[in-house]
Amino acid sequence: MHTHQRPVSRLMAALLLALSVPATFAAGSDGVSPSTTDAVTLYAGGTVIDGTGAAPRANQDILVRGERIVAVGPHGTLEGARAAGVHTVDLHGGYVIPGLIDSHVHMATPPNAKRAQAILRRNLYAGVTAVRDMADDLRSVGELAREARAGEIPAPDIYYAALMAGPDFFADPRVGAASYGVTPGHSPWMQEINDKTDLREAVTLARGTSATAIKVYADLPPELVKGITAEAHRQHIMVWAHSAVFPTRPADVIDAGVDVVSHACYLAYQLEPVMLKSYEDHTPFHDALLAPRGDDPVIAGLYKDMLKHGTILDATGSLFVRYDAERKAHPDRKPLRCTGPTTTRLVRQAWKAGVPVSTGTDNDGGVDQVWPSVYDEIFFLAHDVGMPPLEALHSATLVGAQAAGQAKDMGSIEAGKLANFAVLSADPLKDIGNLHSIRLTVKRGHEYPRADYKPVTREEMGHDDDD
């Protein structure tokens, strides 16, 4: 399989895709929804936990005009709060947190718009106002992003990646499902990369999908990981990567300068004396290679490099903990690359080292799940890793916004940012489980009361949840 097709045909494909994803509503655009108004609302008297990691502030007012927060301050002090036409929502006794962000979802592998919309609805009505889609069929994801941005469906905003991987990866059946109608590896949203690829053209094609980032996925040597990253940054697009790209070790992924690495588990492969030659080899990490107790010095070196480069860790820890529990009931299931305890240990060491950790799930939950999967990741950080609730909420909000490249507009409750926040009836700092007390989500200034939530149905979720 070769990637050096004629430039005209590949560029035409990118142009056609760009036309199918209207730029006005593409992820990261500054376009304004036609339904947006300049209505002014005062959310009065709540305790604000602003997402920055600062202590909560009691009896605060939040003044919102249209999509954005105008001001935040002590109750009764905001200029313009008593002007004619200002609608007031009484939040006394309530707790306000920034909209949550799931930094690792998959909305379209394979595309199923009905299922995706159901999952997005479940997310939004539970306080999730943005998600980071980690490589799917961007024809479908782009349309979901447009619908979410335009307010046509109740959904978080979606920021998404175009994938790049080595030739061996494109035998994966998931690629065919996400590239239907296009030769695997030759779509602008899922490109096969080898040493003959024109990286400038490849990145340009990826940008034509309106992606927020390029995801460096699998089966690439260190020099190509570094080359893709450098060219992407030259063209002002983020790079999200697996923390080990197999055969590229975690240290080389981090040193390439990628912005976010996914899966704390994969960092452990830095300790393996012989690195797996391909992503397709799922040999689990050998736990005995970690230091028997305390911080592992090799992993400490990785975290030092991540701090130097400003790399964010999308840990996806709850996935591994939950799978361990499932294997006890179904011992015939193959193990994942890491056990739950090893993954927990790696995330705990990252947190204590000061590495920013976001709340990615890599799991959308089944039809019987009432709450979004990001709650599981937040609970994992608080209960398994040991983060105080204030820090777990920081991970789920401002760090998530940074991972998606959107911290200028979201992730904290501050003047000038989007009016993305959730109102809880009980204090999440006393018990992180009080996320379940949510009574209202505000996304881009639009209210979604929890009482209006319609649970996902088996008909929406499809046959994948019949087992």
Side-chain angles (χ1 to χ4, degrees), residues 297-315:
V298 174
I299 300 299
L302 293 180
Y303 292 152
K304 183 178 179 180
D305 285 347
M306 289 177 69
L307 289 169
K308 180 177 72 174
H309 287 284
T311 315
I312 294 170
L313 175 61
D314 165 33

PDB file of all heavy atoms in Angstrom, residues 297-315:
ATOM      1  N   PRO A 297      11.718   4.893  39.183  1.00  0.00           N
ATOM      2  CA  PRO A 297      12.628   5.933  38.682  1.00  0.00           C
ATOM      3  C   PRO A 297      12.567   6.146  37.176  1.00  0.00           C
ATOM      4  O   PRO A 297      12.730   7.270  36.702  1.00  0.00           O
ATOM      5  CB  PRO A 297      14.018   5.440  39.126  1.00  0.00           C
ATOM      6  CG  PRO A 297      13.855   3.975  39.403  1.00  0.00           C
ATOM      7  CD  PRO A 297      12.446   3.791  39.865  1.00  0.00           C
ATOM      8  N   VAL A 298      12.329   5.091  36.408  1.00  0.00           N
ATOM      9  CA  VAL A 298      12.219   5.260  34.955  1.00  0.00           C
ATOM     10  C   VAL A 298      10.968   6.059  34.608  1.00  0.00           C
ATOM     11  O   VAL A 298      11.004   6.988  33.787  1.00  0.00           O
ATOM     12  CB  VAL A 298      12.207   3.883  34.248  1.00  0.00           C
ATOM     13  CG1 VAL A 298      11.936   4.056  32.752  1.00  0.00           C
ATOM     14  CG2 VAL A 298      13.536   3.165  34.463  1.00  0.00           C
ATOM     15  N   ILE A 299       9.860   5.720  35.247  1.00  0.00           N
ATOM     16  CA  ILE A 299       8.620   6.466  35.031  1.00  0.00           C
ATOM     17  C   ILE A 299       8.784   7.906  35.503  1.00  0.00           C
ATOM     18  O   ILE A 299       8.275   8.846  34.869  1.00  0.00           O
ATOM     19  CB  ILE A 299       7.447   5.781  35.744  1.00  0.00           C
ATOM     20  CG1 ILE A 299       7.245   4.352  35.219  1.00  0.00           C
ATOM     21  CG2 ILE A 299       6.169   6.594  35.598  1.00  0.00           C
ATOM     22  CD1 ILE A 299       6.923   4.270  33.741  1.00  0.00           C
ATOM     23  N   ALA A 300       9.514   8.103  36.594  1.00  0.00           N
ATOM     24  CA  ALA A 300       9.778   9.463  37.083  1.00  0.00           C
ATOM     25  C   ALA A 300      10.496  10.285  36.020  1.00  0.00           C
ATOM     26  O   ALA A 300      10.228  11.489  35.860  1.00  0.00           O
ATOM     27  CB  ALA A 300      10.594   9.409  38.363  1.00  0.00           C
ATOM     28  N   GLY A 301      11.404   9.634  35.287  1.00  0.00           N
ATOM     29  CA  GLY A 301      12.098  10.339  34.207  1.00  0.00           C
ATOM     30  C   GLY A 301      11.153  10.765  33.098  1.00  0.00           C
ATOM     31  O   GLY A 301      11.268  11.863  32.541  1.00  0.00           O
ATOM     32  N   LEU A 302      10.199   9.890  32.780  1.00  0.00           N
ATOM     33  CA  LEU A 302       9.197  10.259  31.775  1.00  0.00           C
ATOM     34  C   LEU A 302       8.380  11.460  32.232  1.00  0.00           C
ATOM     35  O   LEU A 302       8.115  12.388  31.450  1.00  0.00           O
ATOM     36  CB  LEU A 302       8.255   9.077  31.504  1.00  0.00           C
ATOM     37  CG  LEU A 302       8.834   7.842  30.826  1.00  0.00           C
ATOM     38  CD1 LEU A 302       7.747   6.792  30.650  1.00  0.00           C
ATOM     39  CD2 LEU A 302       9.457   8.188  29.474  1.00  0.00           C
ATOM     40  N   TYR A 303       7.974  11.459  33.490  1.00  0.00           N
ATOM     41  CA  TYR A 303       7.152  12.557  33.990  1.00  0.00           C
ATOM     42  C   TYR A 303       7.943  13.857  34.053  1.00  0.00           C
ATOM     43  O   TYR A 303       7.378  14.938  33.813  1.00  0.00           O
ATOM     44  CB  TYR A 303       6.569  12.193  35.351  1.00  0.00           C
ATOM     45  CG  TYR A 303       5.544  11.077  35.271  1.00  0.00           C
ATOM     46  CD1 TYR A 303       5.317  10.222  36.337  1.00  0.00           C
ATOM     47  CD2 TYR A 303       4.799  10.862  34.109  1.00  0.00           C
ATOM     48  CE1 TYR A 303       4.380   9.206  36.265  1.00  0.00           C
ATOM     49  CE2 TYR A 303       3.862   9.845  34.016  1.00  0.00           C
ATOM     50  CZ  TYR A 303       3.663   9.016  35.102  1.00  0.00           C
ATOM     51  OH  TYR A 303       2.734   8.007  35.011  1.00  0.00           O
ATOM     52  N   LYS A 304       9.215  13.767  34.336  1.00  0.00           N
ATOM     53  CA  LYS A 304      10.063  14.965  34.303  1.00  0.00           C
ATOM     54  C   LYS A 304      10.094  15.553  32.898  1.00  0.00           C
ATOM     55  O   LYS A 304       9.993  16.775  32.708  1.00  0.00           O
ATOM     56  CB  LYS A 304      11.480  14.616  34.766  1.00  0.00           C
ATOM     57  CG  LYS A 304      12.422  15.813  34.832  1.00  0.00           C
ATOM     58  CD  LYS A 304      13.792  15.388  35.352  1.00  0.00           C
ATOM     59  CE  LYS A 304      14.748  16.581  35.397  1.00  0.00           C
ATOM     60  NZ  LYS A 304      16.095  16.178  35.900  1.00  0.00           N
ATOM     61  N   ASP A 305      10.198  14.685  31.891  1.00  0.00           N
ATOM     62  CA  ASP A 305      10.195  15.147  30.499  1.00  0.00           C
ATOM     63  C   ASP A 305       8.833  15.718  30.111  1.00  0.00           C
ATOM     64  O   ASP A 305       8.753  16.700  29.365  1.00  0.00           O
ATOM     65  CB  ASP A 305      10.562  14.000  29.552  1.00  0.00           C
ATOM     66  CG  ASP A 305      12.048  13.657  29.583  1.00  0.00           C
ATOM     67  OD1 ASP A 305      12.826  14.454  30.143  1.00  0.00           O
ATOM     68  OD2 ASP A 305      12.420  12.592  29.053  1.00  0.00           O
ATOM     69  N   MET A 306       7.750  15.109  30.606  1.00  0.00           N
ATOM     70  CA  MET A 306       6.424  15.631  30.298  1.00  0.00           C
ATOM     71  C   MET A 306       6.241  17.027  30.878  1.00  0.00           C
ATOM     72  O   MET A 306       5.667  17.914  30.233  1.00  0.00           O
ATOM     73  CB  MET A 306       5.350  14.679  30.823  1.00  0.00           C
ATOM     74  CG  MET A 306       5.263  13.381  30.029  1.00  0.00           C
ATOM     75  SD  MET A 306       4.053  12.191  30.677  1.00  0.00           S
ATOM     76  CE  MET A 306       2.517  13.033  30.293  1.00  0.00           C
ATOM     77  N   LEU A 307       6.740  17.239  32.082  1.00  0.00           N
ATOM     78  CA  LEU A 307       6.662  18.567  32.682  1.00  0.00           C
ATOM     79  C   LEU A 307       7.479  19.572  31.880  1.00  0.00           C
ATOM     80  O   LEU A 307       7.055  20.719  31.673  1.00  0.00           O
ATOM     81  CB  LEU A 307       7.150  18.515  34.130  1.00  0.00           C
ATOM     82  CG  LEU A 307       6.209  17.800  35.114  1.00  0.00           C
ATOM     83  CD1 LEU A 307       6.909  17.561  36.443  1.00  0.00           C
ATOM     84  CD2 LEU A 307       4.945  18.627  35.327  1.00  0.00           C
ATOM     85  N   LYS A 308       8.628  19.151  31.387  1.00  0.00           N
ATOM     86  CA  LYS A 308       9.481  20.041  30.590  1.00  0.00           C
ATOM     87  C   LYS A 308       8.791  20.448  29.300  1.00  0.00           C
ATOM     88  O   LYS A 308       8.858  21.608  28.875  1.00  0.00           O
ATOM     89  CB  LYS A 308      10.807  19.336  30.279  1.00  0.00           C
ATOM     90  CG  LYS A 308      11.766  20.181  29.440  1.00  0.00           C
ATOM     91  CD  LYS A 308      13.091  19.453  29.216  1.00  0.00           C
ATOM     92  CE  LYS A 308      12.921  18.303  28.241  1.00  0.00           C
ATOM     93  NZ  LYS A 308      14.208  17.654  27.898  1.00  0.00           N
ATOM     94  N   HIS A 309       8.101  19.502  28.677  1.00  0.00           N
ATOM     95  CA  HIS A 309       7.448  19.769  27.391  1.00  0.00           C
ATOM     96  C   HIS A 309       6.024  20.306  27.548  1.00  0.00           C
ATOM     97  O   HIS A 309       5.407  20.706  26.558  1.00  0.00           O
ATOM     98  CB  HIS A 309       7.397  18.480  26.558  1.00  0.00           C
ATOM     99  CG  HIS A 309       8.711  18.056  26.004  1.00  0.00           C
ATOM    100  ND1 HIS A 309       9.320  18.665  24.920  1.00  0.00           N
ATOM    101  CD2 HIS A 309       9.562  17.058  26.388  1.00  0.00           C
ATOM    102  CE1 HIS A 309      10.465  18.074  24.647  1.00  0.00           C
ATOM    103  NE2 HIS A 309      10.640  17.098  25.527  1.00  0.00           N
ATOM    104  N   GLY A 310       5.492  20.302  28.763  1.00  0.00           N
ATOM    105  CA  GLY A 310       4.106  20.721  28.966  1.00  0.00           C
ATOM    106  C   GLY A 310       3.102  19.703  28.464  1.00  0.00           C
ATOM    107  O   GLY A 310       1.989  20.054  28.061  1.00  0.00           O
ATOM    108  N   THR A 311       3.454  18.422  28.512  1.00  0.00           N
ATOM    109  CA  THR A 311       2.597  17.353  27.988  1.00  0.00           C
ATOM    110  C   THR A 311       1.511  16.988  28.977  1.00  0.00           C
ATOM    111  O   THR A 311       1.765  16.813  30.169  1.00  0.00           O
ATOM    112  CB  THR A 311       3.442  16.099  27.695  1.00  0.00           C
ATOM    113  OG1 THR A 311       4.642  16.465  27.019  1.00  0.00           O
ATOM    114  CG2 THR A 311       2.659  15.106  26.854  1.00  0.00           C
ATOM    115  N   ILE A 312       0.291  16.847  28.486  1.00  0.00           N
ATOM    116  CA  ILE A 312      -0.850  16.441  29.303  1.00  0.00           C
ATOM    117  C   ILE A 312      -1.036  14.931  29.193  1.00  0.00           C
ATOM    118  O   ILE A 312      -0.845  14.345  28.123  1.00  0.00           O
ATOM    119  CB  ILE A 312      -2.118  17.178  28.843  1.00  0.00           C
ATOM    120  CG1 ILE A 312      -1.989  18.679  29.127  1.00  0.00           C
ATOM    121  CG2 ILE A 312      -3.375  16.615  29.518  1.00  0.00           C
ATOM    122  CD1 ILE A 312      -3.075  19.526  28.493  1.00  0.00           C
ATOM    123  N   LEU A 313      -1.425  14.300  30.296  1.00  0.00           N
ATOM    124  CA  LEU A 313      -1.705  12.865  30.312  1.00  0.00           C
ATOM    125  C   LEU A 313      -3.207  12.623  30.308  1.00  0.00           C
ATOM    126  O   LEU A 313      -3.915  13.000  31.243  1.00  0.00           O
ATOM    127  CB  LEU A 313      -1.083  12.216  31.553  1.00  0.00           C
ATOM    128  CG  LEU A 313      -1.390  10.722  31.762  1.00  0.00           C
ATOM    129  CD1 LEU A 313      -0.863   9.875  30.602  1.00  0.00           C
ATOM    130  CD2 LEU A 313      -0.814  10.236  33.094  1.00  0.00           C
ATOM    131  N   ASP A 314      -3.699  12.016  29.239  1.00  0.00           N
ATOM    132  CA  ASP A 314      -5.088  11.539  29.131  1.00  0.00           C
ATOM    133  C   ASP A 314      -5.067  10.100  29.637  1.00  0.00           C
ATOM    134  O   ASP A 314      -4.789   9.173  28.886  1.00  0.00           O
ATOM    135  CB  ASP A 314      -5.523  11.653  27.660  1.00  0.00           C
ATOM    136  CG  ASP A 314      -6.774  10.871  27.322  1.00  0.00           C
ATOM    137  OD1 ASP A 314      -7.643  10.751  28.191  1.00  0.00           O
ATOM    138  OD2 ASP A 314      -6.870  10.380  26.180  1.00  0.00           O
ATOM    139  N   ALA A 315      -5.338   9.909  30.938  1.00  0.00           N
ATOM    140  CA  ALA A 315      -4.972   8.661  31.620  1.00  0.00           C
ATOM    141  C   ALA A 315      -5.837   7.463  31.247  1.00  0.00           C
ATOM    142  O   ALA A 315      -5.346   6.344  31.181  1.00  0.00           O
ATOM    143  CB  ALA A 315      -5.026   8.884  33.130  1.00  0.00           C
TER     144      ALA A 315
END
